[in-house]
Amino acid sequence: HVESGSSVQDYILQSDLTRTNVDAVIKGARVIKEWKEEDGGYAVLMEVPIFGVSKSLSSAIMPKPSTPPIAFPAPTAPPVTQVEVTVNTPSGQGGYTGVIVDCKGLGLNPVMSPVIKNAAGNKIYGHENLDYDLVIRDGMVSYANDRSQAGRAGSNPIVVRAESLSDHNANPVISVNDANLILTENNSSGFLSKTAVVFMY
């Protein structure tokens, strides 16, 4: 899935150029395993990179925008500091290295282009806020099932709990207060622009 309601197949059906680009990526796929089936058929398991190189799946289906990234939104109200964080740093003082959104137990569905929303339905993090080349190289988030795999968020991340999931369980919804804290601290540290974001599932 690319976004919550669309798959790579949907993008291929909408654009001949995307189909050509995806075909080129598939032709460069790496063979992982080959085996003969019991019915006499032959199977080949192949893989293609989603991110990281010029011939990745993300570069094939996500055209480079003609406009620069949109600025992250401003907090909707004065931020509060009484949320779970790994290190207690005064709000607005910087020092946070990223964000971990805990979605455990909610049935999160990984996608290539996720969004973080606040409980009022406002988007606070999406691909339009990010540098295109960075997204193609690194992706927008990492998915992890424990904190040992959450290194992308750095040594001092803000940790928030998702209240729910939206859009086919692809996008975390966090409280307005948590969203305000993230946006305020991002103004000091710029971790969202660095895609220092991890979703725990």
Side-chain angles (χ1 to χ4, degrees), residues 55-132:
K55 292 295 185 182
S56 64
L57 194 57
S58 59
S59 65
I61 63 172
M62 296 179 179
K64 189 164 188 173
S66 58
T67 56
I70 299 171
F72 290 98
T76 57
V80 297
T81 58
Q82 301 304 313
V83 298
E84 179 192 353
V85 293
T86 53
V87 177
N88 289 321
T89 304
S91 179
Q93 298 299 306
Y96 290 113
T97 56
V99 176
I100 295 175
V101 182
D102 182 1
C103 305
K104 282 183 172 290
L106 297 177
L108 179 68
N109 292 323
V111 294
M112 290 174 61
S113 182
V115 167
I116 300 175
K117 298 179 180 179
N118 68 16
N122 300 317
K123 186 189 300 185
I124 70 162
Y125 181 76
H127 69 86
E128 65 272 13
N129 305 117
L130 303 171
D131 176 74
Y132 172 84

Side-chain angles (χ1 to χ4, degrees), residues 9-164:
Q9 180 68 18
D10 296 326
Y11 279 71
I12 290 172
L13 292 174
Q14 293 169 10
S15 167
D16 290 338
L17 177 59
T18 299
R19 178 187 295 276
T20 300
N21 291 340
V22 171
D23 284 348
V25 172
I26 292 172
K27 288 177 181 176
R30 185 165 70 95
V31 176
I32 302 300
K33 182 181 177 182
E34 303 177 50
W35 68 96
K36 188 172 183 178
E37 300 282 2
E38 292 182 1
D39 62 2
Y42 199 76
V44 181
L45 177 66
M46 308 171 79
E47 72 173 12
V48 297
I50 297 178
F51 300 104
V53 295
S54 60
K55 292 295 185 182
S56 64
L57 194 57
S58 59
S59 65
I61 63 172
M62 296 179 179
K64 189 164 188 173
S66 58
T67 56
I70 299 171
F72 290 98
T76 57
V80 297
T81 58
Q82 301 304 313
V83 298
E84 179 192 353
V85 293
T86 53
V87 177
N88 289 321
T89 304
S91 179
Q93 298 299 306
Y96 290 113
T97 56
V99 176
I100 295 175
V101 182
D102 182 1
C103 305
K104 282 183 172 290
L106 297 177
L108 179 68
N109 292 323
V111 294
M112 290 174 61
S113 182
V115 167
I116 300 175
K117 298 179 180 179
N118 68 16
N122 300 317
K123 186 189 300 185
I124 70 162
Y125 181 76
H127 69 86
E128 65 272 13
N129 305 117
L130 303 171
D131 176 74
Y132 172 84
D133 294 324
L134 181 62
V135 170
I136 295 301
R137 188 188 75 194
D138 297 336
M140 292 180 57
V141 305
S142 288
Y143 292 89
N145 53 31
D146 64 59
R147 290 292 292 272
S148 67
Q149 301 172 347
R152 180 176 182 140
S155 60
N156 185 29
I158 298 173
V159 181
V160 299
R161 173 69 183 169
E163 294 186 341
S164 61

